[in-house]
Amino acid sequence: TQLLEQSPQFLSIQEGENLTVYCNSSSVFSSLQWYRQEPGEGPVLLVTVVTGGEVKKLKRLTFQFGDARKDSSLHITAAQTGDTGLYLCAGAGYNNAGNMLTFGGGTRLMVKP
Amino acid sequence: DSGVTQTPKHLITATGQRVTLRCSPRSGDLSVYWYQQSLDQGLQFLIQYYNGEERAKGNILERFSAQQFPDLHSELNLSSLELGDSALYFCASSVEGGPNYGYTFGSGTRLTVV
């Protein structure tokens, strides 16, 4: 069974601080995706990383895929209150159900003004 | 608006009842996925349909069933409802049958069983 563990589960920081969220697994994934979910809404895809070692930047967000394609990190620089939300990583690959996305448990980020 | 439409947004029903959740995928997307999200279980995959046919099945209870119609909309049927079925139910769609390019999620249906 593929499992994705995210850490930390909860993070409360002040506006302007930097933070890193981690997503780890013992399984290899063909791609790794990050989603952000706000209350009352569905997850929204932020980025997909495909190649081991790949780094993608989206404004103040930097995503990295591990060399072995088993882990990923999301770094936010100078966090803003608008970054508040639930961040989910999801790995694409074969599991018992087929070629699926497996979601991590999420990191709940609160950025205080 | 993500382009994936889910109805109803909220549903309150009693134990033992049956409900139907509806999903219209984003235009051009052939795959529909159903997920259940609860506080203690996170996002759990239930079932996938691709162009009308069941493609993959996750931890979906026997009391639950789904189908995808010729116009590609999908319905998730939940029967003999129990208190533990209370959760957010999300539908997602993608253009292809695999996950590599990400899913587009709807806003979900919040089901409360009382």
Side-chain angles (χ1 to χ4, degrees):
Chain A
T1 303
Q2 292 179 324
L3 287 174
L4 274 170
E5 294 192 4
Q6 285 187 240
S7 61
Q9 285 184 284
F10 301 96
L11 193 53
S12 180
I13 60 171
Q14 294 295 134
E15 198 169 28
E17 293 183 359
N18 301 331
L19 67 116
T20 302
V21 175
Y22 299 94
C23 176
N24 294 296
S25 176
S26 57
S27 302
V28 176
F29 294 101
S30 56
S31 72
L32 203 296
Q33 299 163 24
W34 285 91
Y35 292 78
R36 180 164 152 251
Q37 183 178 15
E38 297 191 40
E41 298 296 327
V44 175
L45 179 65
L46 296 174
V47 77
T48 300
V49 284
V50 179
T51 307
E54 181 177 2
V55 177
K56 276 192 176 177
K57 291 194 174 184
L58 190 67
K59 297 183 181 177
R60 295 176 294 100
L61 277 60
T62 302
F63 304 86
Q64 184 162 10
F65 201 10
D67 291 341
R69 305 209 321 274
K70 294 182 180 181
D71 54 83
S72 181
S73 64
L74 157 60
H75 182 79
I76 301 179
T77 304
Q80 299 176 355
T81 55
D83 295 328
T84 293
L86 177 66
Y87 289 82
L88 296 158
C89 67
Y94 284 91
N95 61 21
N96 292 339
N99 189 16
M100 302 305 309
L101 268 188
T102 301
F103 281 85
T107 293
R108 198 166 293 278
L109 171 66
M110 175 170 287
V111 182
K112 295 180 282 189
Chain B
D1 181 8
S2 68
V4 177
T5 304
Q6 286 190 250
T7 56
K9 196 160 178 65
H10 301 278
L11 200 49
I12 301 175
T13 190
T15 54
Q17 294 298 304
R18 172 189 167 98
V19 296
T20 297
L21 313 184
R22 184 187 167 101
C23 169
S24 293
R26 195 178 55 166
S27 178
D29 286 357
L30 298 177
S31 270
V32 168
Y33 308 82
W34 286 98
Y35 280 82
Q36 180 191 58
Q37 187 177 41
S38 56
L39 282 174
D40 57 345
Q41 292 287 322
L43 265 171
Q44 299 291 313
F45 168 67
L46 296 178
I47 197 163
Q48 177 202 358
Y49 281 83
Y50 178 77
N51 204 19
E53 294 191 2
E54 183 183 302
R55 174 66 70 94
K57 210 173 211 181
N59 297 323
I60 187 167
L61 299 172
E62 284 190 13
R63 300 183 286 108
F64 296 0
S65 65
Q67 55 184 326
Q68 187 178 30
F69 294 87
D71 67 352
L72 300 178
H73 91 270
S74 178
E75 292 181 356
L76 178 67
N77 301 296
L78 315 176
S79 61
S80 302
L81 285 167
E82 301 174 0
L83 295 178
D85 297 327
S86 295
L88 270 166
Y89 291 84
F90 286 105
C91 166
S93 71
S94 68
V95 65
E96 57 166 32
N100 279 327
Y101 296 99
Y103 298 166
T104 301
F105 281 82
S107 295
T109 294
R110 181 175 294 280
L111 174 66
T112 304
V113 183
V114 297

